[in-house]
Amino acid sequence: MKSISKRDKENIWHPLTQHKRSPEALGIVRAKGSILYDESGREYIDGIASWYTAMYGHCNPHIIDKVVHQMQKLDHVIFTGFTHEPAVKLAEELLKILPKNQNKLFFSDNGSTATEIGIKMALQYHFNHGKPRNVLLAFEEGFHGDTFGAMSVSGLSVYNGPFEDFFLDVERIPIPNSNNIEGILKNLSS
Ligand SMILES: Cc1ncc(COP(=O)(O)O)c(C=O)c1O
């Protein structure tokens, strides 16, 4: 029986990976708490901390229980023209802890798409006020994801080369601090 890593290599491309030079992807078969286990039983401390795993640990029984119950009751419904209690409850809970100037939520399913949504909201705001804008301001060293808007507002990266001709119009500025803010504002207004 071939390993998961071997079967992966034969069939899958991974994000942000140069496949000719990269080692085989690690085949992970299970996880508990902060530990990942590979297919030969080796243990790794998961320092990546994707999603909620850093806060609650992998395979948290409470989260599993909630997910199983929800899947048995309502697995999916499109969010255009439909809604459901878990989304409404999450929005209510988040609004309680968000800054007071936040009064509505718009859900996204991943980081890159959240960036696209933010860009579209900003552009639409100015469009709706009859003064469309088409240049975005972004920090030089940021990383916001791999969709076109997200790549555009990220810092320049080796991964973006073939796509740069298609980017949105972006002015990049260093992260402002008390030493450089004057210069940044002067450059932007010139
Ligand atoms: C700061 C930041 N923004 C956006 C993203 C993109 O998120 P996703 O991979 O869910 O599209 C990442 C991913 O690492 C990130 O670290």
Side-chain angles (χ1 to χ4, degrees):
M1 179 71 176
K2 283 183 195 166
S3 67
I4 302 171
S5 297
K6 287 261 176 314
R7 285 160 56 207
D8 175 286
K9 199 173 173 64
E10 287 170 8
N11 296 293
I12 299 179
W13 283 340
H14 287 259
L16 306 180
T17 303
Q18 214 300 342
H19 285 275
K20 280 194 178 146
R21 292 202 295 259
S22 301
E24 284 176 0
L26 208 52
I28 298 297
V29 289
R30 66 189 179 90
K32 189 73 198 159
S34 59
I35 304 295
L36 300 172
Y37 299 86
D38 76 10
E39 49 194 323
S40 55
R42 209 170 296 142
E43 297 182 12
Y44 305 84
I45 296 171
D46 181 4
I48 304 165
S50 302
W51 284 16
Y52 53 82
T53 56
M55 284 89 77
Y56 303 113
H58 286 277
C59 298
N60 179 299
H62 180 75
I63 295 176
I64 293 172
D65 183 57
K66 292 287 177 193
V67 170
V68 168
H69 276 90
Q70 183 56 48
M71 289 298 281
Q72 285 165 340
K73 194 173 171 196
L74 171 66
D75 55 347
H76 166 74
V77 64
I78 192 168
F79 217 46
T80 306
F82 298 82
T83 191
H84 47 80
E85 220 254 334
V88 174
K89 189 160 169 26
L90 177 61
E92 289 167 349
E93 294 299 320
L94 287 172
L95 284 168
K96 280 184 204 160
I97 55 172
L98 281 168
K100 290 289 165 244
N101 63 352
Q102 313 283 306
N103 54 20
K104 284 281 196 304
L105 291 179
F106 189 102
F107 288 116
S108 170
D109 51 352
N110 62 70
S112 304
T113 313
T115 307
E116 301 294 327
I117 291 164
I119 292 170
K120 287 180 72 177
M121 279 185 178
L123 296 178
Q124 189 174 355
Y125 173 86
H126 293 290
F127 181 90
N128 288 356
H129 280 79
K131 293 181 183 165
R133 295 188 185 187
N134 56 10
V135 182
L136 298 155
L137 204 56
F139 294 135
E140 274 166 5
E141 309 294 338
F143 175 74
H144 301 289
D146 290 319
T147 50
F148 271 92
M151 279 193 296
S152 304
V153 295
S154 295
L156 294 172
S157 145
V158 287
Y159 299 113
N160 293 348
F163 314 110
E164 281 170 16
D165 286 350
F166 306 96
F167 279 8
L168 301 170
D169 212 350
V170 171
E171 288 280 340
R172 290 193 175 76
I173 58 168
I175 308 252
N177 58 44
S178 52
N179 295 325
N180 65 9
I181 185 76
E182 298 277 324
I184 293 172
L185 290 172
K186 209 160 128 212
N187 287 344
L188 284 175
S189 54
S190 62

